[in-house]
Amino acid sequence: MKRILATSIISLTAIFGVMATASTATADVIDYENLRSPEGCKDPTPSKFKFHIYFNSGMDGSYRNIGYSVYDFDRLKPGGSDPGAYPLRFCIIGASGTPGAGQKIKNNAASAENDHYKYKARVHFYSGYTGPKDVMNPGQTIARFRYVYNENASFSWA
């Protein structure tokens, strides 16, 4: 009986250990895409990334296209051989005088648009998809965040 119980515990530990590793690996790939994909700074209209967040109100100033949920705008982990964590930043496009160019997105965004045809977009006050949030239906734009104006820390699809 003890041997069966011990074998079961070892098996469960192995299964859950693999699941935890797989989810961490998946998160690393997602963070890598949000950080490094050329889609992040393409013109928002043709970008494959369907969420666009802007530095200024009215979808003005610098922007960033986001394709996947972001647990914490200040700590994206690209994975692989890079153990670091990096902030997601607004794109530097053309002239460096664009308001917000190169600034961190966390606590600096004022507006956004959701170009996805199916999913709602949520910008959260706190990291980890918590706290007050502004929610955009598919195809919706928010010219000035109501709940997370310059106080935004994470993003999720719903």
Side-chain angles (χ1 to χ4, degrees):
M1 180 69 172
K2 288 181 182 179
R3 176 179 254 172
I4 292 171
L5 182 59
T7 303
S8 297
I9 291 171
I10 291 168
S11 297
L12 286 173
T13 302
I15 290 168
F16 286 114
V18 169
M19 287 173 61
T21 303
S23 65
T24 301
T26 302
D28 288 350
V29 169
I30 289 169
D31 279 356
Y32 178 86
E33 287 296 313
N34 279 326
L35 276 170
R36 307 279 191 250
S37 173
E39 294 296 324
C41 289
K42 272 189 177 178
D43 186 276
T45 304
S47 177
K48 292 179 186 174
F49 287 178
K50 298 301 180 189
F51 180 72
H52 321 292
I53 193 163
Y54 294 85
F55 182 76
N56 284 340
S57 298
M59 284 69 63
D60 197 19
S62 293
Y63 62 86
R64 182 72 182 218
N65 304 318
I66 299 173
Y68 305 94
S69 295
V70 178
Y71 190 80
D72 182 349
F73 283 134
D74 251 0
R75 299 195 46 80
L76 281 79
K77 299 178 181 181
S81 61
D82 186 346
Y86 303 91
L88 194 58
R89 296 181 179 275
F90 290 104
C91 300
I92 300 173
I93 306 292
S96 60
T98 305
Q103 295 290 317
K104 293 179 180 182
I105 291 175
K106 187 170 186 172
N107 298 329
N108 279 318
S111 60
E113 55 189 344
N114 177 11
D115 281 341
H116 205 284
Y117 73 96
K118 183 177 180 182
Y119 296 108
K120 289 182 181 182
R122 296 177 177 173
V123 180
H124 304 267
F125 193 90
Y126 297 117
S127 298
Y129 320 122
T130 61
K133 62 187 167 284
D134 280 289
V135 179
M136 286 159 275
N137 289 317
Q140 184 180 0
T141 297
I142 293 181
R144 186 179 191 280
F145 288 131
R146 180 176 180 183
Y147 301 108
V148 298
Y149 179 80
N150 289 339
E151 293 291 340
N152 47 285
S154 59
F155 163 76
S156 64
W157 292 107

